Amino acid sequence: SPPSQQQQQGIKQQLQQQQLQQQVAVQVQVQQPNLWEMMHQIATNEGVLQLWHGTWSSLLLVSNPAIQYFLYEQIRVWVLGIKSDRQLRRRRRLGRGVAVVGGGHGGRETDGGSIPSLPQLTAMEAFAFGALSKTVATVVTYPLQLAQVLIRLRNNELKNNNTATAVPDDGRSSSGRKITSKEGDDDDDEPPEEETNEDDAKKEYDGMMDCLYRQYTRGGFRSLFQGMNSKLLQTVLSAAFTFLTYEQTLALVGKVIESNSA
Protein backbone atom coordinates (compact mmCIF):
# COMPACT_ATOMS: atom_id res chain seq x y z
CA SER A 1 0.00 0.00 0.00
CA PRO A 2 1.30 3.52 -0.71
CA PRO A 3 2.56 5.44 2.32
CA SER A 4 0.13 7.76 4.01
CA GLN A 5 0.51 11.53 4.11
CA GLN A 6 1.87 11.42 7.68
CA GLN A 7 4.49 8.85 6.69
CA GLN A 8 5.54 10.95 3.71
CA GLN A 9 5.86 13.99 5.95
CA GLY A 10 7.95 12.02 8.44
CA ILE A 11 10.27 10.77 5.69
CA LYS A 12 10.62 14.32 4.40
CA GLN A 13 11.57 15.61 7.85
CA GLN A 14 14.16 12.87 8.25
CA LEU A 15 15.72 13.79 4.91
CA GLN A 16 15.83 17.45 5.95
CA GLN A 17 17.52 16.53 9.23
CA GLN A 18 20.09 14.42 7.39
CA GLN A 19 20.84 17.29 5.03
CA LEU A 20 21.20 19.65 7.97
CA GLN A 21 23.60 17.27 9.73
CA GLN A 22 25.67 16.98 6.57
CA GLN A 23 25.88 20.76 6.30
CA VAL A 24 27.00 21.03 9.92
CA ALA A 25 29.63 18.33 9.36
CA VAL A 26 30.97 20.21 6.35
CA GLN A 27 31.16 23.44 8.35
CA VAL A 28 33.07 21.67 11.15
CA GLN A 29 35.58 20.30 8.65
CA VAL A 30 36.35 23.79 7.37
CA GLN A 31 39.76 24.86 8.62
CA GLN A 32 39.54 27.39 11.43
CA PRO A 33 41.70 30.52 11.22
CA ASN A 34 44.77 30.70 13.42
CA LEU A 35 45.52 33.38 15.99
CA TRP A 36 47.02 35.95 13.63
CA GLU A 37 44.34 35.45 10.99
CA MET A 38 41.61 35.90 13.59
CA MET A 39 43.25 39.07 14.95
CA HIS A 40 43.54 40.45 11.41
CA GLN A 41 39.91 39.58 10.74
CA ILE A 42 38.72 41.35 13.91
CA ALA A 43 40.84 44.42 13.22
CA THR A 44 39.60 44.60 9.62
CA ASN A 45 35.90 44.03 10.27
CA GLU A 46 35.40 45.64 13.67
CA GLY A 47 38.36 47.96 14.13
CA VAL A 48 41.71 47.75 15.88
CA LEU A 49 40.29 48.84 19.24
CA GLN A 50 38.11 45.72 19.34
CA LEU A 51 41.28 43.69 19.94
CA TRP A 52 41.21 45.17 23.46
CA HIS A 53 37.47 44.75 23.93
CA GLY A 54 36.74 43.65 27.52
CA THR A 55 40.14 44.70 28.85
CA TRP A 56 38.58 46.90 31.52
CA SER A 57 36.71 44.00 33.11
CA SER A 58 39.83 41.83 33.02
CA LEU A 59 41.85 44.57 34.70
CA LEU A 60 39.24 44.83 37.44
CA LEU A 61 39.52 41.10 38.09
CA VAL A 62 43.25 41.54 38.81
CA SER A 63 42.08 42.71 42.22
CA ASN A 64 41.14 39.11 43.12
CA PRO A 65 44.70 37.70 43.46
CA ALA A 66 45.90 41.07 44.78
CA ILE A 67 43.44 40.92 47.68
CA GLN A 68 44.17 37.22 48.21
CA TYR A 69 47.96 37.49 48.50
CA PHE A 70 47.87 40.77 50.41
CA LEU A 71 45.49 39.37 53.02
CA TYR A 72 47.40 36.09 53.33
CA GLU A 73 50.73 37.89 53.77
CA GLN A 74 49.30 40.21 56.41
CA ILE A 75 47.88 37.28 58.40
CA ARG A 76 51.15 35.37 58.00
CA VAL A 77 53.29 38.26 59.25
CA TRP A 78 50.93 38.82 62.18
CA VAL A 79 50.96 35.15 63.26
CA LEU A 80 54.72 34.77 62.83
CA GLY A 81 55.22 37.96 64.84
CA ILE A 82 53.18 36.48 67.70
CA LYS A 83 55.21 33.28 67.56
CA SER A 84 58.49 35.22 67.57
CA ASP A 85 57.40 37.24 70.61
CA ARG A 86 56.43 34.06 72.46
CA GLN A 87 59.77 32.47 71.62
CA LEU A 88 61.60 35.57 72.83
CA ARG A 89 59.68 35.71 76.12
CA ARG A 90 60.21 32.00 76.68
CA ARG A 91 63.96 32.32 76.25
CA ARG A 92 64.03 35.33 78.57
CA ARG A 93 62.17 33.41 81.26
CA LEU A 94 64.88 30.78 81.09
CA GLY A 95 67.41 33.48 82.03
CA ARG A 96 69.54 33.17 78.91
CA GLY A 97 71.19 36.13 77.22
CA VAL A 98 69.36 36.88 74.04
CA ALA A 99 70.20 39.20 71.20
CA VAL A 100 67.92 39.84 68.29
CA VAL A 101 69.41 39.78 64.82
CA GLY A 102 67.49 41.67 62.17
CA GLY A 103 65.16 43.58 64.50
CA GLY A 104 61.37 43.56 64.62
CA HIS A 105 59.16 40.51 64.61
CA GLY A 106 61.14 38.94 61.79
CA GLY A 107 64.45 39.06 63.67
CA ARG A 108 66.37 35.99 64.78
CA GLU A 109 67.60 35.38 68.30
CA THR A 110 71.17 34.40 69.09
CA ASP A 111 73.17 33.69 72.20
CA GLY A 112 76.83 32.99 71.80
CA GLY A 113 76.62 32.14 68.11
CA SER A 114 73.67 29.68 68.11
CA ILE A 115 70.91 30.93 65.84
CA PRO A 116 67.55 29.25 66.40
CA SER A 117 65.34 28.63 63.41
CA LEU A 118 62.69 31.15 62.47
CA PRO A 119 59.10 30.23 63.36
CA GLN A 120 57.04 28.75 60.56
CA LEU A 121 53.35 28.28 59.95
CA THR A 122 51.97 24.83 60.61
CA ALA A 123 50.22 22.89 57.89
CA MET A 124 46.77 23.61 59.32
CA GLU A 125 47.55 27.30 59.75
CA ALA A 126 48.69 27.64 56.13
CA PHE A 127 45.61 25.75 54.93
CA ALA A 128 43.22 27.87 57.01
CA PHE A 129 44.82 31.22 56.17
CA GLY A 130 44.95 30.38 52.48
CA ALA A 131 41.28 29.41 52.49
CA LEU A 132 40.33 32.54 54.42
CA SER A 133 42.20 34.92 52.13
CA LYS A 134 40.74 33.33 49.01
CA THR A 135 37.23 33.41 50.48
CA VAL A 136 37.43 37.15 51.14
CA ALA A 137 38.89 37.85 47.69
CA THR A 138 36.20 35.77 45.97
CA VAL A 139 33.32 37.35 47.88
CA VAL A 140 34.58 40.87 47.13
CA THR A 141 35.16 40.32 43.41
CA TYR A 142 32.47 37.74 42.62
CA PRO A 143 29.94 40.25 41.17
CA LEU A 144 32.60 41.29 38.64
CA GLN A 145 33.25 37.67 37.69
CA LEU A 146 29.52 37.01 37.40
CA ALA A 147 29.05 40.04 35.14
CA GLN A 148 31.88 38.93 32.89
CA VAL A 149 30.35 35.46 32.50
CA LEU A 150 26.83 36.83 31.90
CA ILE A 151 28.08 39.18 29.19
CA ARG A 152 29.79 36.33 27.37
CA LEU A 153 26.75 34.08 27.67
CA ARG A 154 24.43 36.82 26.43
CA ASN A 155 26.64 37.54 23.40
CA ASN A 156 26.79 33.84 22.51
CA GLU A 157 23.02 33.52 23.00
CA LEU A 158 22.31 36.45 20.70
CA LYS A 159 24.60 35.03 18.02
CA ASN A 160 22.92 31.62 18.23
CA ASN A 161 19.45 33.17 18.09
CA ASN A 162 20.35 35.23 15.03
CA THR A 163 21.63 32.10 13.30
CA ALA A 164 18.62 29.99 14.29
CA THR A 165 16.01 32.54 13.20
CA ALA A 166 17.55 33.08 9.77
CA VAL A 167 15.01 32.13 7.07
CA PRO A 168 16.28 30.13 4.04
CA ASP A 169 15.36 31.00 0.49
CA ASP A 170 12.53 28.45 0.34
CA GLY A 171 10.50 30.40 2.90
CA ARG A 172 10.97 27.91 5.72
CA SER A 173 12.29 28.55 9.17
CA SER A 174 15.32 26.74 10.62
CA SER A 175 12.93 24.13 12.05
CA GLY A 176 11.58 23.32 8.57
CA ARG A 177 8.14 24.87 9.22
CA LYS A 178 6.57 26.90 6.41
CA ILE A 179 6.25 30.58 7.28
CA THR A 180 2.97 32.09 6.18
CA SER A 181 2.44 35.68 5.19
CA LYS A 182 0.60 36.33 8.45
CA GLU A 183 3.56 35.13 10.49
CA GLY A 184 6.10 36.95 8.36
CA ASP A 185 4.33 40.32 8.45
CA ASP A 186 4.68 41.75 11.94
CA ASP A 187 4.80 45.42 11.07
CA ASP A 188 1.05 45.99 11.39
CA ASP A 189 0.58 44.13 14.66
CA GLU A 190 1.94 45.51 17.91
CA PRO A 191 3.57 42.75 20.00
CA PRO A 192 2.05 41.99 23.38
CA GLU A 193 3.56 43.56 26.45
CA GLU A 194 4.92 40.25 27.77
CA GLU A 195 6.79 39.58 24.54
CA THR A 196 8.21 43.11 24.60
CA ASN A 197 9.55 42.62 28.12
CA GLU A 198 11.02 39.28 27.14
CA ASP A 199 12.78 40.83 24.16
CA ASP A 200 14.09 43.63 26.35
CA ALA A 201 15.51 41.07 28.78
CA LYS A 202 17.45 39.50 25.91
CA LYS A 203 19.16 42.66 24.74
CA GLU A 204 22.93 42.86 24.72
CA TYR A 205 24.56 44.23 27.87
CA ASP A 206 26.08 47.68 27.57
CA GLY A 207 29.16 46.95 29.64
CA MET A 208 29.79 45.48 33.06
CA MET A 209 27.98 48.13 35.08
CA ASP A 210 24.86 47.75 32.94
CA CYS A 211 24.98 43.98 33.46
CA LEU A 212 25.29 44.37 37.24
CA TYR A 213 22.48 46.92 37.34
CA ARG A 214 20.08 44.75 35.34
CA GLN A 215 21.01 41.72 37.42
CA TYR A 216 20.29 43.71 40.59
CA THR A 217 16.94 44.97 39.31
CA ARG A 218 15.85 41.44 38.39
CA GLY A 219 16.81 39.64 41.60
CA GLY A 220 18.03 42.12 44.17
CA PHE A 221 21.34 42.15 46.00
CA ARG A 222 21.46 38.36 46.41
CA SER A 223 21.36 37.87 42.64
CA LEU A 224 24.82 39.46 42.41
CA PHE A 225 26.19 36.42 44.26
CA GLN A 226 24.20 33.77 42.41
CA GLY A 227 26.20 30.55 42.09
CA MET A 228 28.94 31.67 44.46
CA ASN A 229 28.82 28.48 46.54
CA SER A 230 30.21 26.31 43.76
CA LYS A 231 32.81 28.96 42.95
CA LEU A 232 33.97 29.05 46.57
CA LEU A 233 34.20 25.27 46.71
CA GLN A 234 36.43 25.27 43.67
CA THR A 235 38.72 28.22 44.33
CA VAL A 236 39.01 28.11 48.12
CA LEU A 237 40.20 24.50 48.25
CA SER A 238 42.64 25.12 45.43
CA ALA A 239 44.13 28.18 47.16
CA ALA A 240 44.26 26.42 50.53
CA PHE A 241 46.26 23.49 49.15
CA THR A 242 48.49 25.89 47.22
CA PHE A 243 49.51 27.83 50.33
CA LEU A 244 49.83 24.60 52.29
CA THR A 245 52.30 23.28 49.73
CA TYR A 246 54.13 26.61 49.66
CA GLU A 247 54.65 26.77 53.44
CA GLN A 248 55.72 23.13 53.67
CA THR A 249 58.20 23.61 50.83
CA LEU A 250 59.51 26.79 52.47
CA ALA A 251 60.03 24.97 55.79
CA LEU A 252 61.79 22.07 54.06
CA VAL A 253 64.15 24.40 52.20
CA GLY A 254 64.90 26.24 55.45
CA LYS A 255 65.82 22.98 57.18
CA VAL A 256 68.12 21.99 54.32
CA ILE A 257 69.88 25.37 54.45
CA GLU A 258 70.32 25.13 58.22
CA SER A 259 71.73 21.60 58.01
CA ASN A 260 74.23 22.66 55.37
CA SER A 261 75.34 25.73 57.32
CA ALA A 262 75.74 23.83 60.61
Side-chain angles (χ1 to χ4, degrees):
S1 60
S4 61
Q5 184 177 0
Q6 294 181 353
Q7 292 177 347
Q8 292 178 355
Q9 186 176 3
I11 295 174
K12 188 176 181 180
Q13 291 179 356
Q14 291 180 359
L15 292 175
Q16 291 177 353
Q17 291 178 358
Q18 291 178 359
Q19 292 177 358
L20 181 60
Q21 293 176 357
Q22 291 177 357
Q23 293 177 0
V24 172
V26 171
Q27 293 177 359
V28 171
Q29 293 177 359
V30 176
Q31 184 178 2
Q32 298 295 330
N34 56 30
L35 175 62
W36 302 110
E37 292 175 350
M38 181 59 68
M39 292 177 61
H40 181 267
Q41 181 179 352
I42 294 175
T44 303
N45 298 335
E46 304 180 19
V48 178
L49 294 179
Q50 288 298 317
L51 295 174
W52 285 270
H53 181 71
T55 304
W56 177 245
S57 60
S58 300
L59 290 177
L60 289 177
L61 292 178
V62 174
S63 59
N64 183 282
I67 296 173
Q68 173 189 350
Y69 287 104
F70 172 78
L71 184 59
Y72 176 82
E73 190 63 24
Q74 293 301 311
I75 297 176
R76 183 176 184 273
V77 171
W78 176 62
V79 173
L80 292 181
I82 294 177
K83 290 186 175 183
S84 297
D85 291 340
R86 289 178 179 176
Q87 189 180 53
L88 180 60
R89 289 195 298 267
R90 184 165 54 252
R91 290 173 64 86
R92 285 176 176 174
R93 283 198 300 266
L94 296 177
R96 303 173 60 181
V98 178
V100 178
V101 179
H105 294 312
R108 294 185 295 174
E109 306 166 17
T110 177
D111 57 336
S114 62
I115 301 178
S117 60
L118 292 174
Q120 299 288 340
L121 294 180
T122 63
M124 288 303 300
E125 288 174 343
F127 186 89
F129 299 157
L132 176 61
S133 60
K134 188 62 177 180
T135 300
V136 174
T138 302
V139 172
V140 172
T141 60
Y142 185 79
L144 301 178
Q145 301 179 42
L146 178 63
Q148 190 179 52
V149 173
L150 290 177
I151 291 174
R152 291 177 180 175
L153 291 177
R154 178 59 55 82
N155 293 337
N156 294 334
E157 181 181 357
L158 292 177
K159 291 180 181 179
N160 294 334
N161 290 340
N162 293 335
T163 304
T165 56
V167 180
D169 296 335
D170 60 351
R172 294 180 179 273
S173 64
S174 59
S175 60
R177 184 172 58 88
K178 187 72 175 180
I179 297 180
T180 62
S181 59
K182 183 178 181 179
E183 294 174 337
D185 188 6
D186 294 336
D187 296 336
D188 297 335
D189 298 332
E190 183 178 357
E193 183 178 358
E194 296 180 356
E195 295 181 1
T196 304
N197 295 335
E198 182 179 357
D199 293 339
D200 182 70
K202 293 184 178 180
K203 290 182 180 179
E204 185 177 0
Y205 290 116
D206 187 17
M208 180 173 291
M209 298 306 299
D210 177 62
C211 177
L212 291 176
Y213 174 76
R214 289 164 67 174
Q215 184 73 7
Y216 174 78
T217 55
R218 283 195 297 263
F221 183 77
R222 296 184 60 181
S223 64
L224 299 179
F225 299 90
Q226 183 179 1
M228 188 177 64
N229 294 335
S230 58
K231 184 69 174 179
L232 286 175
L233 183 61
Q234 172 193 357
T235 59
V236 169
L237 288 178
S238 176
F241 282 110
T242 298
F243 284 110
L244 170 62
T245 305
Y246 166 76
E247 291 295 341
Q248 294 300 303
T249 304
L250 186 64
L252 179 61
V253 172
K255 291 180 180 179
V256 172
I257 295 176
E258 289 179 0
S259 63
N260 293 334
S261 63

